[in-house]
Structure formats: C-alpha cells, structure tokens
Amino acid sequence: MKFARTIFAGLLVLLCQQINAQDHSKQHTESWTSARPDGHAPISVMGDHYHHKGEFMVSYRFMFMNMEGLYRGDAAISNLQGHQAGYMVTPLKMPMNMHMLGVMYAPTDKITLMAMFNYLQNDMDLQMRMPTGMTRTFSTASSGLSDVKLGFLYKLLNRNKQSLHALVNLSIPTGSLEAKAATPMSGGKQLQLPYPMQLGSGTYDADLGLTYLGQATHYSWGTQLKGTYRFGTNTYGYRMGNAYQLNSWFAVKTTPWLSVSARVEGQVTTGIIGRNANLNPMMVTTADVANSGRKLVNTALGFNLYAFKGNLKNLRLGAEYVYPVYQFVTGVQLKQKESFVIGLQYSL
C-alpha cells in the first residue's frame, strides 16, 4: 500500500510537471516575440521593443533628412516673399546627417535599460538680399555630439500575441549651444548660429511613451504614442518646444528573414519659449522664435532583414524611406522633405 501511494505520488508529480510544461509552451507560443524579421518596428521607430532578462543589444542608425524651400502655414512661398516679410536673410535648404549609437540591456524580464548617443552634422545654404535688390548665397555648418538619452522600457503585458510597454527617457544636455560661423554680415567675425543649427536643447528633457504591438502568423502591427517635454530654460534664456508623435505601422513577414512595412506618423512640435538675446530676429528667419513650431504627417516604406540562424544569428538590417504628405508651419520656415534611415541591430 505504501509502495502504491509512492507510485501514485510520483505519477501525480510527473503529471503536474507535464501540465506546467504544456502551459509554459502554450504561453510562449501565444506571446509576442521579437525573434522574427517583423519582431522589431520599422528602423525609424525608437524604443519599440524590450528584451528578456540578461539580453544585450547594440545598434547603429544613420539618418539623412533634407529641408528645402520656404513654407508659410501650409503653402510654399518664394525667398523673395520671405525677404519682403522683413528678413535680410532667408534659408534655401538644410540637409542633416545623424549617426545614432544605441545600447540596450535587460536586468529583468520587466525592465530594459537603454542609452542613445547621437552625432549631428548640419549644413544650411542661405540667401542674403542686398539693398540694391541683388542676392548673395552663403553657407553655414555645425557638427558634434548631441544630447545623450538614458532611460528604460517597462513591460506591462505580453499575451495573446499582443504586447504593451512604457518608455521613460531622460535627455541630458550634452549637446553644444555654442555653434558659430562667419557670415557676410559679420565681417569675418564668428557669430552664434540660430536655433536649428545648434546641437542640443540646453535643457533636461523627458521622453514618455506607450507602445502597443500585435502579431499574427504572417504579419504584425504596432502603435506608439510619445511625447518630449522640456523643463526650465537653458543658459541663453530659451527652451525648445515640446514634441508629440503618434506612429502606426503594419508589416508583412514575407520569409523567415524578410519583412516589409508601411508606416504613418503624425508630429506636433510647439514653438520655442523665450529667446536668445545674441540673435537678431530680423536678420534671418531661423533666428526669430515666431518662426518655430509645426505640424507634420509622414508616410514611410521600409524593410527588415533578420538572420534567424547561423553565425550572424540575431543580426538585423533595417531601412526606411520617409516622405511628408502634409505639413503646417508657424511663421516662415523651411519645408521638410524626404528622409532616409538605415541601421544595424545585434542582440546577444
């Protein structure tokens, strides 16, 4: 009898272990997973995914963005019209290159720590109108490290092939506000460049966001709501505007190693608060805080390549082309045009 009870108890333990294993397997198959090409959002979207305990990821992204031609409100205007608004100098175009190095590490299954380091290269071509009516073009440039971002992702849920997590970032004002250049009006003297040409905000800023992800067998989708909030004013007496973003995307997994995606993004950026007393707001449109703040709707197409096995397992290559379909600017500003992002991500 004692032997029978022992056998029964042993069988009960084995049955419980089998049930637990099946429940764990079922939970695993019903969980959202990043181990597929569309397991990450399009490469332009930051903070889109978290990691399991002990996982580590490094990433590199390169972004090119171009701004060209003047807008007032939602309509194009000529540089002559910009001069007639009272500005001696108006911008022609501003291409920007950004190099982004990211690091992520998950100390627990709930929390993923992250850090982002950026290097900016800004160039701007401008047109000066002489009292005689003649015009002259010239260029300015700035480059260097931008603000460093440190933060974390917190997993709120992951079940039924759906996931929700929160994002909290702190932006540290490591980017310089001292970018200077000589212009035709300065007589060879180095003058402080206007707001868009500086490398940082000069304030401590917070990024707060929520990201929802969903998956089916051959496709996935996601939505991210994020806000950037500025605090205080910098050493020059101003702060950049807050920024709000809503991203939604849809991706199709065409093979175990390739997915293609489409994305729509809405952006709202508020105007600059305060002003830098070193800048003459009537000299150039970019030095006038009345010409700051915009609304923007972007569309984007992209792809992700994913090494799911072999020596390069967990290496990803993503690329995305972004084009605005609507924009409204406050005052007179450059029109945002196309941008392109390409990046590598490697998980350990």
Side-chain angles (χ1 to χ4, degrees):
M1 192 73 176
K2 183 177 180 181
F3 176 75
R5 287 198 301 266
T6 303
I7 294 296
F8 178 78
L11 290 173
L12 184 61
V13 169
L14 288 174
L15 180 61
C16 290
Q17 289 176 342
Q18 183 65 24
I19 291 172
N20 287 337
Q22 289 177 351
D23 287 345
H24 178 76
S25 176
K26 183 179 180 182
Q27 181 181 4
H28 178 73
T29 58
E30 291 183 350
S31 296
W32 171 89
T33 176
S34 62
R36 45 189 275 181
D38 60 338
H40 288 192
I43 195 68
S44 301
V45 181
M46 307 292 182
D48 63 293
H49 70 279
Y50 48 81
H51 291 270
H52 297 295
K53 181 179 179 179
E55 289 183 344
F56 177 81
M57 192 189 85
V58 292
S59 65
Y60 167 77
R61 291 175 173 88
F62 170 76
M63 182 180 76
F64 167 81
M65 185 181 73
N66 189 35
M67 305 180 79
E68 186 172 357
L70 292 183
Y71 247 48
R72 178 189 286 134
D74 59 358
I77 65 171
S78 67
N79 281 76
L80 175 59
Q81 289 173 294
H83 293 301
Q84 290 173 341
Y87 300 100
M88 181 182 295
V89 178
T90 56
L92 297 169
K93 63 179 180 179
M94 180 184 173
M96 183 196 72
N97 296 321
M98 181 184 289
H99 304 267
M100 296 165 277
L101 179 64
V103 180
M104 302 179 77
Y105 173 71
T108 73
D109 283 333
K110 286 280 190 180
I111 296 175
T112 298
L113 305 177
M114 54 193 299
M116 180 69 73
F117 307 89
N118 301 321
Y119 184 89
L120 283 176
Q121 296 173 292
N122 299 317
D123 295 283
M124 184 177 286
D125 294 340
L126 304 105
Q127 177 180 283
M128 180 176 66
R129 188 169 181 85
M130 312 287 195
T132 61
M134 299 291 289
T135 60
R136 176 181 174 181
T137 61
F138 65 98
S139 300
T140 60
S142 62
S143 62
L145 293 175
S146 185
D147 295 342
V148 171
K149 291 191 175 186
L150 303 175
F152 66 92
L153 304 173
Y154 186 81
K155 182 177 72 173
L156 298 170
L157 65 87
N158 184 356
R159 60 177 178 266
N160 299 325
K161 292 290 188 179
Q162 298 178 84
S163 174
L164 181 70
H165 67 270
L167 175 150
V168 178
N169 267 342
L170 176 65
S171 180
I172 301 172
T174 54
S176 174
L177 299 179
E178 303 294 333
K180 297 180 179 180
T183 68
M185 301 80 70
S186 68
K189 182 181 178 181
Q190 295 278 318
L191 296 180
Q192 193 170 23
L193 291 174
Y195 309 100
M197 296 294 288
Q198 298 301 327
L199 302 175
S201 68
T203 56
Y204 286 91
D205 311 322
D207 292 335
L208 303 176
L210 280 174
T211 303
Y212 163 77
L213 303 169
Q215 285 180 335
T217 303
H218 298 294
Y219 59 89
S220 62
W221 61 94
T223 296
Q224 183 185 79
L225 178 64
K226 185 169 68 174
T228 300
Y229 303 90
R230 321 283 186 178
F231 299 101
T233 57
N234 57 38
T235 55
Y236 288 101
Y238 70 91
R239 70 170 178 266
M240 304 300 291
N242 292 340
Y244 309 95
Q245 294 175 295
L246 177 62
N247 268 297
S248 293
W249 62 90
F250 183 84
V252 176
K253 186 182 73 168
T254 60
T255 70
W257 51 270
L258 173 66
S259 66
V260 293
S261 62
R263 182 172 62 90
V264 178
E265 176 189 29
Q267 293 182 13
V268 176
T269 305
T270 61
I272 297 171
I273 303 297
R275 60 177 293 266
N276 184 347
N278 294 339
L279 301 176
N280 180 354
M282 298 311 296
M283 180 63 69
V284 56
T285 58
T286 52
D288 189 352
V289 296
N291 302 320
S292 63
R294 70 173 62 217
K295 300 174 183 178
L296 182 70
V297 177
N298 281 323
T299 56
L301 296 174
F303 67 83
N304 284 344
L305 296 175
Y306 172 58
F308 63 95
K309 62 181 180 179
N311 294 333
L312 298 178
K313 185 178 179 180
N314 293 329
L315 178 68
R316 297 174 183 269
L317 171 67
E320 192 176 43
Y321 176 80
V322 184
Y323 193 82
V325 293
Y326 172 79
Q327 53 191 303
F328 182 96
V329 304
T330 303
V332 177
Q333 299 185 52
L334 282 170
K335 176 185 178 181
Q336 186 163 319
K337 300 196 74 174
E338 72 281 352
S339 60
F340 177 76
V341 182
I342 188 168
L344 285 170
Q345 300 169 313
Y346 183 58
S347 299
L348 301 170

